[in-house]
Amino acid sequence: MKFRHRDEFGSVAVRLTATVRPAAEPRSVQDHDQDDVDSKAARISERAAGVLRSSEERDPAALTRFVQLRVIDPEGAYWLRGIEAATRWLRETGNSELRVPYTYVTQDDWGAVGSHPLGVWLADARKYYAAETLEASRVIKLENLGMVWSVHASAWDAGLEVARTYAAVHDTACPPRRPSGSRSHSAHG
């Protein structure tokens, strides 16, 4: 979206500010049971308020991205947050594959991606992939991160690799009946 005149941009910014500002303003904490929810909302709202301040000159592209992610396509924002959380998880754990437990939630101190349900998010991506409803660009992005589309197949492959390594060292894939040096565990023993 290009603006020919500063006034044209200003009038759009004023309309957007009037529409979006109530959602962007930090809320006060009334109920102490809601502290976590309110603190997350306040953290998000502070960033939103910074973009929406009409007293400052704003980059039209930044404002457009903000409205696109927060108003028009919040699902896209959730997707981007999941990608950021997955990237951070890989960096923090040193893993090369996205084999994240279903119940895993990112740590609160991870900033913008703190408290993201990464395990559920990845399980949902697998579900959409299996149903062939996940956009091709998202499939590519996840594959570039090391997405494991089938956790069961991945576990099988990992176990098979362990068996191959064992067979290469011991010239057989069969483990010994009784480890050397151990006592028999028979009932007559």
Side-chain angles (χ1 to χ4, degrees), residues 55-77:
S55 62
E56 298 175 17
E57 196 167 318
R58 289 281 158 230
D59 175 26
L63 186 60
T64 301
R65 279 192 309 274
F66 173 81
V67 172
Q68 179 69 33
L69 290 174
R70 299 287 165 87
V71 179
I72 298 171
D73 187 18
E75 190 274 331

Side-chain angles (χ1 to χ4, degrees):
M1 176 182 296
K2 288 191 176 183
F3 297 103
R4 284 176 260 145
H5 305 288
R6 181 163 165 45
D7 292 340
E8 189 176 333
F9 171 70
S11 65
V12 170
V14 168
R15 284 194 304 264
L16 284 173
T17 301
T19 304
V20 181
R21 182 166 299 222
E25 292 178 355
R27 299 180 305 181
S28 64
V29 178
Q30 299 288 331
D31 185 354
H32 294 292
D33 293 336
Q34 293 290 320
D35 283 349
D36 289 339
V37 172
D38 289 340
S39 67
K40 288 176 195 168
R43 193 171 60 229
I44 292 168
S45 295
E46 287 170 12
R47 288 194 304 256
V51 172
L52 294 175
R53 277 191 207 101
S54 59
S55 62
E56 298 175 17
E57 196 167 318
R58 289 281 158 230
D59 175 26
L63 186 60
T64 301
R65 279 192 309 274
F66 173 81
V67 172
Q68 179 69 33
L69 290 174
R70 299 287 165 87
V71 179
I72 298 171
D73 187 18
E75 190 274 331
Y78 182 70
W79 166 258
L80 291 175
R81 189 170 181 226
I83 288 294
E84 290 174 28
T87 303
R88 174 84 184 257
W89 183 85
L90 288 168
R91 187 173 59 245
E92 294 287 330
T93 62
N95 289 334
S96 61
E97 291 183 324
L98 285 173
R99 288 186 63 185
V100 179
Y102 180 79
T103 58
Y104 182 79
V105 176
T106 60
Q107 298 174 20
D108 289 336
D109 64 352
W110 281 16
V113 296
S115 301
H116 185 75
L118 184 59
V120 171
W121 184 83
L122 289 168
D124 287 345
R126 287 184 188 102
K127 179 176 67 176
Y128 299 136
Y129 176 78
E132 298 180 358
T133 58
L134 189 61
E135 294 174 23
S137 61
R138 292 181 176 192
V139 171
I140 291 167
K141 182 69 174 172
L142 286 168
E143 286 179 347
N144 288 340
L145 288 175
M147 178 64 162
V148 174
W149 295 112
S150 172
V151 177
H152 300 294
S154 177
W156 173 263
D157 291 343
L160 190 57
E161 185 57 34
V162 168
R164 285 183 180 136
T165 302
Y166 182 89
V169 171
H170 300 286
D171 293 326
T172 181
C174 299
R177 289 183 156 207
R178 184 176 53 167
S180 59
S182 68
R183 298 184 320 166
S184 173
H185 295 291
S186 68
H188 302 297

